[in-house]
């Protein structure tokens, strides 16, 4: 009798822990989806997309673009000097590798000349309110899809 009581108590505790685990797992899944970590965006195409990042500083403005065409990518940096009004740009070209929601960019050419240290970016593909973002994993910069940006402003 004593063994039956202990076995029943043990079984009930296991069952309650399983329910607690399921509830905690559900809460964590919802939180991850809100932050964009656990989104399933494998079917979202980034082919022929242009992503934009704009940073405004007191003395200059930086505009950066990532243009993806198939496995090839172009990374453009533009610097606008506020004092002189001059603009300068760097055009890098390279390739991308995509694994689920992670996109790795490696640009090893600067204006079609090989450079010794490639520019590399690791980006997380996220989607919030029908807007596609790329979040730089290292700097937390948010690159917005140009189509989403221009569609919003119209």
């Amino acid at each position: 009798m004593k063994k039956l009581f202990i076995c029943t108590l043990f079984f009930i505790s296991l069952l309650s822990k399983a329910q607690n685990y399921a509830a905690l797992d559900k809460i964590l899944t919802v939180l991850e989806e809100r932050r964009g970590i656990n989104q399933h965006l494998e079917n979202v195409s980034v082919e022929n997309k242009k992503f934009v990042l704009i940073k405004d500083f007191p003395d200059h403005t930086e505009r950066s673009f990532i243009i993806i065409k198939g496995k090839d990518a172009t990374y453009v940096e533009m610097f606008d000097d506020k004092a002189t009004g001059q603009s300068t740009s760097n055009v890098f070209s390279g390739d991308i590798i995509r694994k689920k929601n992670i996109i790795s960019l490696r640009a090893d050419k600067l204006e079609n000349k090989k450079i010794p240290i490639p520019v590399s970016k690791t980006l997380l593909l996220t989607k919030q309110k029908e807007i596609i973002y790329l979040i730089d994993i290292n700097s937390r910069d948010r690159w917005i899809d140009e189509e989403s940006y221009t569609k919003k402003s119209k």
Side-chain angles (χ1 to χ4, degrees), residues 96-138:
I96 65 161
I97 297 174
R98 181 174 176 183
K99 301 269 184 174
K100 296 187 180 185
N101 295 357
I102 302 292
I103 297 173
S104 294
L105 167 73
R106 183 182 60 97
D108 58 349
K109 293 180 185 170
L110 173 61
E111 297 175 7
N112 292 327
K113 293 182 183 175
K114 202 85 155 149
I115 55 176
I117 300 174
V119 175
S120 63
K121 298 214 175 279
T122 304
L123 307 158
L124 175 66
L125 180 67
T126 58
K127 185 175 182 180
Q128 295 177 2
K129 297 182 182 178
E130 301 303 316
I131 298 174
I132 298 172
Y133 291 95
L134 292 177
I135 299 175
D136 190 325
I137 290 178
N138 297 318

Side-chain angles (χ1 to χ4, degrees), residues 25-90:
D25 185 52
K26 186 176 179 181
I27 291 169
L28 288 174
T29 302
V30 169
L31 290 174
E32 286 175 349
E33 286 175 353
R34 285 188 186 163
R35 291 192 48 113
I37 296 170
N38 199 19
Q39 293 180 347
H40 301 287
L41 301 174
E42 292 87 13
N43 298 331
V44 174
S45 175
V46 293
E47 181 121 359
N48 297 321
K49 294 267 188 198
K50 184 178 187 180
F51 295 93
V52 180
L53 170 68
I54 300 173
K55 291 183 180 179
D56 194 27
F57 296 99
D59 59 340
H60 70 283
T61 302
E62 292 179 12
R63 294 179 289 157
S64 301
F65 305 94
I66 295 176
I67 304 156
I68 300 172
K69 295 198 187 258
K71 297 273 185 200
D72 297 326
T74 305
Y75 172 61
V76 180
E77 295 176 329
M78 296 183 74
F79 303 97
D80 300 323
D81 190 358
K82 291 182 179 178
T84 63
Q86 283 187 317
S87 292
T88 57
S89 65
N90 295 321

